[in-house]
Amino acid sequence: DCSLAAEQLKNNPRHKTYLEGVSLRQLKKLYRLLKGHLGGESLAESLEKFQQEETIDPEEDMNKLDDMELAKRKSIMDELFEKNRKKKDDPDFIYDVAVEFPQDEQLESCGWDIESGEEI
């Protein structure tokens, strides 16, 4: 398992000082590329496989995944969220953002919304 090997390498006391600046994700990628190379894959094939494994398909039904695959997808989404999240200390942080969404189409009303409004 590339994840386990990367964690062991990063936490090894002999290598810890050298790998402080290297993220766990980079080590996992390195292990994955080495594994592909040892399996006879080209660098392009290994990179493509890694990219497919690390990308979330919005059309995928995650209810059908097993626990391990679901945890993997969730960790990918968490990493993406943290990468894109704006924090108070960021220079381009804006507290109150107002966004106007274009209304090219006419809004459709929902039947349940109208009925609940009449009951009140």
Side-chain angles (χ1 to χ4, degrees), residues 8 19 42 44 52 64 88 102 105 112 119:
Q8 288 176 346
L19 297 175
S42 70
Q52 286 176 347
K64 296 180 180 177
K88 285 195 276 186
E105 301 174 12
W112 62 268
E119 293 175 3

Side-chain angles (χ1 to χ4, degrees), residues 81-97:
F81 173 78
E82 286 300 324
K83 179 181 159 189
N84 293 327
R85 187 173 88 163
K86 301 281 184 189
K87 299 176 185 161
K88 285 195 276 186
D89 301 334
D90 291 342
D92 58 343
F93 176 78
I94 300 172
Y95 177 71
D96 189 16
V97 178

Side-chain angles (χ1 to χ4, degrees), residues 10-79:
K10 181 129 176 116
N11 295 328
N12 188 322
R14 289 180 47 198
H15 307 299
K16 199 167 191 157
T17 56
Y18 302 109
L19 297 175
E20 281 180 335
V22 180
S23 73
L24 192 58
R25 185 176 180 346
Q26 287 176 314
L27 288 174
K28 288 178 189 177
K29 185 175 183 179
L30 176 65
Y31 268 106
R32 181 68 183 104
L33 293 177
L34 288 172
K35 186 177 176 182
H37 178 70
L38 291 174
E41 295 176 356
S42 70
L43 179 62
E45 290 172 334
S46 296
L47 284 172
E48 185 178 332
K49 271 188 176 179
F50 181 80
Q51 189 64 26
Q52 286 176 347
E53 290 174 2
E54 296 294 312
T55 305
I56 301 290
D57 180 15
E59 300 298 319
E60 181 180 30
D61 186 3
M62 293 192 193
N63 290 321
K64 296 180 180 177
L65 297 176
D66 62 359
D67 290 341
M68 191 172 176
E69 283 296 314
L70 184 62
K72 184 178 176 183
R73 300 292 195 291
K74 284 183 176 183
S75 71
I76 293 169
M77 288 188 281
D78 287 342
E79 284 180 27

